[in-house]
Amino acid sequence: MYSDKVMDHFKNPRNVGEIENASGVGTVGNAKCGDIMRIFLDIDENQVIRDCKFKTFGCGAAVATSSMATELVIGKTIYEALEVTNKAVMDALDGLPPVKVHCSLLAEEAIHAALWDYAEKNGIKIEGLEKPKNDIHEGEEEESEEY
Ligand code: FES
């Protein structure tokens, strides 16, 4: 069901932890499963992501996608990091089962939230970055009746 890469990143997640005095921190949840993801970014004066760490209270797919996402954004500029979508992360992991695709959104949204925090702290605007959600299901009204 899971690719070898997903299993590898789940069993040996990269970049787990916190960054003290991070340039940006983003937290996003998934109210439906109760999982939470927090991403820490260390960004240098050239807007390059020097380091990225994550902490999660989440399922295996959320762990694996966040682990891969941190690897993909380290060394990138903040604009290049915006292109690290959940699809790019899933491709890098050789795919996820369809029922687990939403889990990969946590990492993408948390990175966006951390970039937003960085922009706010520095009084800059990152073109193409939208105000982050607190929950990946925010705005999906049509599904709210189920719960
Ligand atoms: Fe909640 Fe995967 S089941 S993020």
Side-chain angles (χ1 to χ4, degrees):
M1 180 173 174
Y2 288 113
S3 72
D4 290 346
K5 281 191 193 164
V6 173
M7 290 310 291
D8 178 33
H9 278 264
F10 168 56
K11 287 189 190 145
N12 308 297
R14 328 295 200 261
N15 305 310
V16 174
E18 293 182 28
I19 297 175
E20 248 181 81
N21 303 318
S23 316
V25 182
T27 307
V28 62
N30 179 345
K32 288 190 183 170
C33 60
D35 292 349
I36 298 173
M37 176 72 52
R38 180 166 292 166
I39 295 261
F40 301 80
L41 293 175
D42 177 21
I43 300 170
D44 75 11
E45 60 284 358
N46 298 314
Q47 301 191 329
V48 173
I49 298 172
R50 209 160 24 193
D51 198 10
C52 176
K53 294 214 183 304
F54 79 96
K55 278 188 122 176
T56 188
F57 186 85
C59 71
V63 170
T65 48
S66 302
S67 167
M68 178 57 92
T70 59
E71 289 215 310
L72 291 177
V73 299
I74 290 173
K76 292 215 161 69
T77 67
I78 54 176
Y79 286 98
E80 288 166 344
L82 280 184
E83 282 155 31
V84 178
T85 59
N86 75 308
K87 175 147 193 326
V89 173
M90 283 193 294
D91 286 349
L93 286 169
D94 297 335
L96 274 179
V99 294
K100 288 281 161 185
V101 169
H102 70 276
C103 311
S104 66
L105 286 170
L106 278 180
E108 177 186 324
E109 289 293 334
I111 288 171
H112 287 179
L115 287 171
W116 185 270
D117 181 41
Y118 162 77
E120 280 200 324
K121 279 183 180 150
N122 289 277
I124 60 167
K125 187 171 168 8
I126 300 176
E127 288 305 327
L129 179 65
E130 288 177 19
K131 193 165 183 352
K133 303 172 178 182
N134 291 319
D135 188 279
I136 58 167
H137 295 293
E138 238 170 64
E140 290 176 11
E141 279 149 41
E142 67 281 6
E143 286 186 63
S144 60
E145 307 244 311
E146 291 171 38
Y147 292 88

